[in-house]
Amino acid sequence: MITAARKRGTPMSSLITILLDPDIVFLRYALAAGFLSSISFGVVGAYVVARRISTIAGAIAHCVLGGIGFSLFMQEKSPSPLWDPVAGALGSAVLAALIIGVVNIKAKHKEDTVINALWAVGMAVGLLFMAKTRGYIDPMSFLFGNILMIGPSDIRLMAGLGGIILLLVLLFYHKLVAVCFDEEFLELRGVPAHFYYFLLLLLTALSIVLLIRVVGIVLVIAMLTLPAAMAGQMARSLAGMMGLAVLFSMVFTTGGIALSFGMDLPSGPTIVIFAAASYLFLLVLLGIRKRWQAQDQAS
Amino acid sequence: MDEAIVRFQQVDFAYENGVPVLEGINFAIWPRELVAMVGPNGGGKTTLLKLMTGMLHPSSGSVSLFGKNPASVRSRIGYMPQYLHFDPDFPITVEEVVLMGRLGRRGIRGFFGWPEKRDRMRAMDCLAHVEMEKLASRPFSALSGGQRQRVMIARALACDPELLLLDEPTANVDSQTESRFMALLQELSREITILMVSHDMGFVSAIVKSVLCVNRRVVVHPTTELTGMVIQDIYNCSMQMVRHDHRCTEKGHTHVIPDHDSP
């Protein structure tokens, strides 16, 4: 039936046909996950792009594999709900964020080295634990995600974590903007700037854990940066950038799912390529507009 | 007798590499003084400002701000860094930048930092001081260098400071704005203490009461002539001289600005 729907029309029309089928629920979950994750992609992505911490986000994302690998290994050795891979992912992401935050404050000149070391060591640890865990574990599903495998419990988790992220951003919006724009000034105002920097890193860590199910560890950075970078070309304020980035993310996840479904491609990479192509298109458009404006002024 | 706003006593400072940046610094700044700090690049001006604000700690000697540890009272400062300090593409409006000055002790008090109506009114008032109120809703990234500089001054004023620290406030402003800014500083100095870093000796000489010359040591403008030899010694190059008529006391290796404790 799915194949028949694919053959009948455009990616979007075949997606709609499947969506209306009461027997096929996984696409509805995928779309719901795409919409929920777009909130984090857009809101936290705006901070990541504005504060220029995408490399830090990359290191946190790759450390997550270490936590997942450790959880899977422990789950096999002594089964317990404590060793849920999501808990492992969350723990390792928060730990990586704390390490990077401390290094940023105490030894800034070593930050770059530590970030890159965490990036590689996190992945290595994850792969080693997976290799020593009995049974077949495919790291590819963690590295590149699979939005079509998402179930109701994932949706609940995404809604919960997304709600926490939104609430924190809403409450501390101005201080987080200040720590991104001028951390030193915030410190001089007697506001604990380091605390808000840590909060920003923790929000990034939370978002990454949330988003890995959608696009995977390797591609999460693209979705945290591309929609926000596009929004940054148009927005006047960080709040505007967040709103636009959420909107772009929703378009990319929905469009990416439709394309991947219609063309029988893996969903995570399709979403990212769609976002990257749109970003490139926007840059070209802005370049042409700039050229026209320069020509107008010259004439 | 007023208490010194800033006091450095036998302060030495070196970064982790051990190379001394400042040596034997003694000076005091008194309430409602308008003081300029001049000196070559790498001479220690920014380090001196960071020691003053408690962002750095002296290797030896003591620094006090309002008679206390600088870190504990730094929210009483309004600080304007050099405009190059900022990411020019950061998505933020002019009003949002100025509202940052309301964060902390005197402005937005709530834990969450959401501005109230009075904070917005104060921000607009500070923007009006630098003639930027009409651009309040503009993106900061769309402003010229000079306009950004004025917004930064407005942000420092929005702190309702008792001590205003300005790092090269007129580096990118046109001469007309510079004149208006000078008048504003003179007006403000009736109420608050101001220290500004400047390379523009002509600009500072017209309005300040004392000049701190920084190049590892601090020489404060003497009452008698600041000779060409002394200036050359500080800057290691020929410099334009600034003449003022202010009292000065000599302590150790440095000349210091008028000290109310001195006879």
Side-chain angles (χ1 to χ4, degrees):
Chain A
M1 164 142 193
I2 293 172
T3 315
R6 269 194 192 124
K7 282 177 182 167
R8 271 203 295 274
T10 61
M12 192 52 87
S13 66
S14 59
L15 181 76
I16 291 166
T17 311
I18 297 296
L19 276 177
L20 295 175
D21 189 323
D23 296 328
I24 302 171
V25 290
F26 71 91
L27 259 182
R28 272 176 250 159
Y29 289 140
L31 281 178
F35 267 72
L36 282 174
S37 60
S38 293
I39 296 168
S40 301
F41 279 141
V43 172
V44 178
Y47 284 126
V48 168
V49 169
R51 185 63 162 78
R52 300 189 182 200
I53 54 168
S54 55
T55 321
I56 291 178
I60 293 173
H62 285 75
C63 277
V64 164
L65 194 70
I68 292 172
F70 177 71
S71 293
L72 292 170
F73 178 77
M74 291 306 292
Q75 183 74 44
E76 190 225 338
K77 297 286 169 206
S78 61
S80 154
L82 188 68
W83 306 123
D84 187 279
V86 175
L90 199 59
S92 54
V94 169
L95 183 66
L98 290 175
I99 292 171
I100 292 168
V102 169
V103 171
N104 176 275
I105 293 161
K106 299 282 181 195
K108 195 162 176 56
H109 57 289
K110 289 181 181 154
E111 193 182 19
D112 191 47
T113 310
V114 172
I115 288 169
N116 287 303
L118 274 176
W119 188 306
V121 170
M123 278 204 100
V125 167
L127 292 173
L128 284 177
F129 274 121
M130 285 180 190
K132 286 290 168 192
T133 306
R134 272 182 294 177
Y136 177 71
I137 299 166
D138 182 13
M140 294 295 277
S141 64
F142 300 111
L143 293 177
F144 297 100
N146 192 349
I147 199 169
L148 300 180
M149 296 294 283
I150 280 173
S153 61
D154 294 308
I155 298 286
R156 279 196 293 275
L157 182 75
M158 280 183 173
L161 284 180
I164 292 172
I165 290 169
L166 260 188
L167 183 71
L168 286 173
V169 167
L170 212 64
L171 290 177
F172 296 109
Y173 173 76
H174 285 279
K175 288 183 176 175
L176 288 171
V177 171
V179 85
C180 289
F181 183 69
D182 190 356
E183 194 177 337
E184 191 183 57
F185 184 81
L186 197 61
E187 194 75 48
L188 281 173
R189 296 303 306 138
V191 178
H194 294 328
F195 169 79
Y196 290 100
Y197 183 63
F198 272 110
L199 182 63
L200 187 63
L201 292 183
L202 287 176
L203 283 173
T204 309
L206 265 182
S207 305
I208 287 167
V209 173
L210 185 75
L211 303 172
I212 276 174
R213 286 289 278 168
V214 180
V215 285
I217 288 167
V218 176
L219 304 178
V220 73
I221 302 311
M223 283 308 288
L224 269 179
T225 52
L226 290 172
M230 281 179 74
Q233 301 285 335
M234 305 172 193
R236 284 165 172 248
S237 66
L238 206 65
M241 185 174 169
M242 287 172 180
L244 273 175
V246 169
L247 204 69
F248 286 141
S249 294
M250 286 177 174
V251 171
F252 297 147
T253 48
T254 313
I257 289 169
L259 279 173
S260 70
F261 185 74
M263 301 166 80
D264 196 17
L265 294 169
S267 53
T270 311
I271 292 170
V272 170
I273 293 296
F274 182 33
S278 305
Y279 180 57
L280 195 66
F281 182 65
L282 178 73
L283 288 185
V284 171
L285 275 185
L286 289 174
I288 292 169
R289 194 180 74 169
K290 206 172 176 183
R291 211 173 201 179
W292 281 348
Q293 282 173 342
Q295 279 172 350
D296 276 354
Q297 278 174 353
S299 62
Chain B
M1 188 193 299
D2 283 337
E3 186 184 82
I5 299 290
V6 178
R7 188 186 289 275
F8 276 60
Q9 286 177 306
Q10 286 302 327
V11 170
D12 294 333
F13 180 82
Y15 286 101
E16 279 177 10
N17 59 14
V19 178
V21 180
L22 294 166
E23 286 181 320
I25 308 298
N26 287 295
F27 71 88
I29 297 175
W30 300 95
R32 290 172 295 284
E33 268 193 318
L34 177 49
V35 182
M37 191 196 294
V38 296
N41 288 334
K45 299 191 295 292
T46 304
T47 303
L48 205 68
L49 286 183
K50 288 192 171 180
L51 285 166
M52 219 174 270
T53 56
M55 304 296 277
L56 291 173
H57 305 287
S59 309
S60 64
S62 72
V63 179
S64 67
L65 188 68
F66 303 106
K68 293 175 181 163
N69 177 357
S72 66
V73 286
R74 60 184 169 213
S75 60
R76 291 160 73 177
I77 297 172
Y79 177 59
M80 192 207 98
Q82 289 183 41
Y83 94 105
L84 289 172
H85 178 80
F86 304 101
D87 175 1
D89 295 327
F90 195 96
I92 190 166
T93 63
V94 166
E95 189 195 20
E96 279 181 307
V97 172
V98 180
L99 275 170
M100 273 180 210
R102 304 299 297 162
L103 289 167
R105 190 180 68 102
R106 296 200 158 201
I108 303 163
R109 285 177 184 275
F111 179 66
F112 300 121
W114 282 85
E116 295 168 10
K117 192 179 173 190
R118 66 190 171 99
D119 297 308
R120 292 191 185 279
M121 284 169 66
R122 182 75 187 113
M124 289 306 286
D125 187 36
C126 294
L127 277 170
H129 260 310
V130 292
E131 297 167 26
M132 289 289 290
E133 72 276 25
K134 286 178 186 162
L135 303 182
S137 59
R138 282 264 182 97
F140 186 67
S141 58
L143 303 183
S144 68
Q147 287 172 324
R148 281 181 204 166
Q149 202 85 333
R150 282 150 71 186
V151 173
M152 286 299 129
I153 294 164
R155 184 180 72 163
L157 292 176
C159 302
D160 289 338
E162 291 166 62
L163 170 65
L164 195 54
L165 298 179
L166 307 166
D167 200 349
E168 308 223 16
T170 56
N172 291 283
V173 298
D174 56 50
S175 57
Q176 208 180 4
T177 309
E178 187 179 287
S179 308
R180 283 197 291 262
F181 180 60
M182 272 199 271
L184 172 66
L185 285 187
Q186 281 180 313
E187 185 195 319
L188 288 170
S189 68
R190 289 189 206 119
E191 300 287 327
I192 58 178
T193 310
I194 301 172
L195 170 66
M196 63 173 163
V197 175
S198 181
H199 280 303
D200 187 346
M201 303 288 267
F203 166 66
V204 299
S205 67
I207 59 162
V208 299
K209 293 171 184 165
S210 309
V211 180
L212 281 170
C213 304
V214 185
N215 191 7
R216 208 160 92 176
R217 295 174 293 140
V218 170
V219 176
V220 182
H221 203 302
T223 42
T224 53
E225 258 185 37
L226 189 64
T227 66
M229 286 286 283
V230 172
I231 292 178
Q232 205 158 320
D233 182 41
I234 299 163
Y235 287 86
N236 297 320
C237 62
S238 58
M239 295 293 295
Q240 193 182 336
M241 271 177 42
V242 187
R243 295 172 192 278
H244 295 281
D245 295 321
H246 306 297
R247 291 185 59 211
C248 175
T249 312
E250 199 162 324
K251 279 186 181 175
H253 297 295
T254 63
H255 299 270
V256 294
I257 57 172
D259 189 334
H260 292 203
D261 292 336
S262 307

